[in-house]
């Protein structure tokens, strides 16, 4: 099944800077504006335990703050006090904490699978853990080159930059994609995630799919390119690139925007494509599920990463909430379902201004059905 775009996704949106809470903070109780339905109309039950805990993906930190604010507002309107403490400690750490029963749900930019999925099944009392993508976000190849307002890369050049095959900004391969641009004869400073990260996994999956001959290091949550300086979290990478002339890194668009970084255009074979809501939406429209008809909504993005369709920005990620399909105690189950119901509905409004692409309507319905089925 392909995800169809809603008409709302076809328009470009203005991306505004938002204040990012400290990367180590787990207090998300600040107020905010909920969207979609009004608080009084929210379908969230606001039942179950008062305080939920989550950890993981820093890519979805800004979205999680917005989800939490919308949930608090919706439940306050119903006379209920709730809170969600989310620590953006990285996708790998979130999955580990979820398996260890230290948190109620994990945020992850890649689906839980293989050995970790088996471990999560034990944590969930013999029941499967589900991957529920509630936010889509394009990944920016964010760069800091003085005087270069427009930079074009393709999968092969990006792969060689991030594995050390290209070390100068005026390398002939980059120059060929940027004719007429005065590229400096300076070293490229690469920044990568130092923590285990789903963003890293998605980025490396893209490189492996788009440039299999240039990127032979494989994928995974830990960076395998062998070059670069490590920085903690998406915020850390973006801040490092912003403070280092000649730098490049991979971060979600929201973090690139917050740090006023330019994003390279990607030439996927049909000409350069800038990172925008419209071009990312076209990529999302081509995404496919790994298992049709399942309540576990993990996605297979390989075909998206390999696309040669015109006007499609191929480097996107789906960021998941990992939850037990069954196996929670009654109070936790009710609270998890209530929070995610709010997130998939009124929580989606306003994500555009945070640099994300909201769920297409047909996918929103599938996510809502999976949330309702949590036991």
């Amino acid at each position: 099944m392909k995800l169809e775009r809603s008409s709302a996704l076809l328009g470009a949106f203005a991306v505004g800077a938002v204040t990012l809470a400290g990367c180590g903070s787990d207090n998300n109780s600040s107020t905010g504006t909920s969207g979609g339905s009004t608080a009084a109309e929210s379908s969230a039950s606001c039942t179950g335990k008062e305080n939920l805990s989550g950890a993981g993906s820093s890519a979805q930190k800004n979205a999680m703050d917005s989800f939490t604010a919308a949930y608090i507002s919706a439940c306050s309107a119903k006379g209920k006090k709730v809170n969600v403490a989310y620590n953006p400690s990285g996708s790998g750490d979130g999955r580990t904490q979820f398996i260890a029963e230290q948190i109620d749900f994990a945020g992850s930019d890649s689906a839980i699978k293989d050995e970790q999925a088996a471990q999560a099944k034990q944590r969930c009392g013999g029941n499967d853990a589900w991957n529920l993508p509630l936010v889509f976000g394009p990944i920016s190849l964010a760069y800091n080159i003085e005087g270069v307002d427009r930079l074009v890369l393709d999968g092969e050049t990006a792969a060689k930059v991030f594995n050390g095959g290209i070390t100068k900004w005026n390398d002939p391969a980059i120059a060929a994609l940027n004719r007429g641009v005065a590229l400096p004869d300076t070293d490229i400073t690469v920044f990568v995630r130092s923590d285990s990260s789903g963003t890293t996994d998605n980025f490396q999956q893209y490189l492996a799919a788009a440039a299999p001959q240039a990127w032979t290091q494989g994928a995974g949550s830990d960076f395998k390119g062998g070059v670069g300086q490590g920085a903690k979290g998406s915020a850390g990478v973006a801040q490092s690139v912003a403070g280092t002339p000649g730098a490049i890194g991979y971060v979600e668009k929201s973090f690139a925007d917050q740090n006023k970084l330019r994003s390279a255009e990607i030439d996927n074979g049909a000409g350069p494509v800038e990172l925008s809501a419209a071009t990312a939406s076209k990529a999302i429209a081509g995404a496919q599920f790994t298992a049709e008809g399942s309540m576990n909504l993990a996605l297979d993005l390989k075909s998206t990463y390999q696309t040669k369709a015109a006007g499609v920005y191929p480097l996107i990620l789906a960021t998941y909430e990992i939850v037990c399909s069954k196996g929670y105690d009654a109070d936790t189950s009710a609270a998890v379902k209530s929070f995610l119901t709010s997130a998939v509905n009124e929580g989606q409004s306003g994500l555009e201004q945070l640099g994300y692409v909201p769920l297409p309507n047909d996918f929103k319905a599938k996510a809502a059905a999976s949330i309702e089925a949590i036991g």
Side-chain angles (χ1 to χ4, degrees), residues 1-5 9 135-138 276-288 299 301 304 312-314 316-318 356-360 362-363:
M1 171 184 155
K2 291 191 175 181
L3 307 183
E4 298 298 329
R5 284 171 290 167
L9 291 175
V135 180
F136 286 101
S276 71
T279 59
S281 295
K282 290 179 180 179
I284 293 168
Q288 297 181 337
L299 294 165
L301 296 177
T304 301
V312 176
Y313 185 85
I316 63 170
L317 64 79
Y356 302 101
V357 180
L359 297 180
D362 61 334
F363 188 78

Side-chain angles (χ1 to χ4, degrees), residues 263-276:
S263 298
E265 298 178 19
I266 293 180
D267 188 338
N268 61 15
V273 182
E274 67 177 348
L275 195 170
S276 71

Side-chain angles (χ1 to χ4, degrees), residues 28-328:
N28 298 321
S29 59
S30 58
T31 57
T33 303
S34 63
S37 353
T38 65
E41 296 170 341
S42 174
S43 54
S45 66
C46 301
T47 57
K49 67 181 186 179
E50 184 175 298
N51 296 306
L52 278 175
S53 62
S57 165
S58 63
Q60 63 176 254
K61 174 61 166 65
N62 293 339
M64 189 59 63
D65 285 346
S66 183
F67 290 163
T68 299
Y71 184 50
I72 290 171
S73 177
C75 292
S76 293
K78 297 182 179 184
K80 301 289 183 67
K81 182 180 178 182
V82 296
N83 190 41
V84 181
Y86 183 80
N87 183 9
S89 55
S91 295
D93 180 70
R95 295 191 300 270
T96 298
Q97 288 197 52
F98 177 74
I99 289 168
E101 299 188 56
Q102 296 172 345
I103 52 177
D104 299 316
F105 67 93
S108 178
D109 304 329
S110 54
I112 196 166
K113 56 188 177 182
D114 302 331
E115 183 181 355
Q116 282 196 324
Q119 294 170 340
K121 189 169 185 175
Q122 290 184 333
R123 179 258 196 266
C124 297
N127 303 288
D128 289 334
W130 286 346
N131 302 279
L132 305 180
L134 296 191
V135 180
F136 286 101
I139 298 175
S140 163
L141 294 176
Y143 69 93
N144 179 358
I145 311 173
E146 186 176 357
V148 178
D149 295 334
R150 180 174 181 260
L151 177 71
V152 178
L153 297 173
D154 59 13
E156 183 174 358
T157 55
K160 290 180 178 179
V161 165
F162 282 89
N163 66 15
I166 292 176
T167 60
K168 294 279 190 178
W169 277 117
N170 65 345
D171 185 277
I174 298 179
L177 294 168
N178 294 273
R179 299 190 185 280
V181 178
L183 295 168
D185 181 21
T186 56
D187 291 339
I188 299 173
T189 302
V190 174
F191 284 98
V192 303
R193 289 285 291 272
S194 61
D195 51 325
S196 182
S197 161
T199 308
T200 297
D201 189 18
N202 279 267
F203 178 56
Q204 293 184 130
Q205 287 185 47
Y206 162 72
L207 295 177
Q213 295 184 347
W215 187 266
T216 59
Q217 288 78 9
S221 297
D222 297 314
F223 184 72
K224 299 179 179 179
V227 299
Q229 302 178 35
K232 173 73 172 177
S234 297
V237 172
Q239 290 162 8
S240 296
V241 173
T244 309
I248 189 170
Y250 56 90
V251 293
E252 297 73 33
K253 184 179 187 297
S254 59
F255 290 90
D257 291 337
Q258 287 170 356
N259 287 274
K260 303 188 185 312
L261 292 169
R262 297 189 181 278
S263 298
E265 298 178 19
I266 293 180
D267 188 338
N268 61 15
V273 182
E274 67 177 348
L275 195 170
S276 71
T279 59
S281 295
K282 290 179 180 179
I284 293 168
Q288 297 181 337
F289 297 105
T290 57
E292 293 296 335
S294 172
M295 290 293 184
N296 182 2
L297 302 181
L299 294 165
D300 180 1
L301 296 177
K302 184 174 182 179
S303 61
T304 301
Y305 295 148
Q306 293 178 321
T307 185
K308 295 188 182 302
V312 176
Y313 185 85
L315 184 46
I316 63 170
L317 64 79
T319 182
Y320 299 89
E321 312 314 324
I322 298 173
V323 299
C324 290
S325 59
K326 291 181 174 59
Y328 290 121

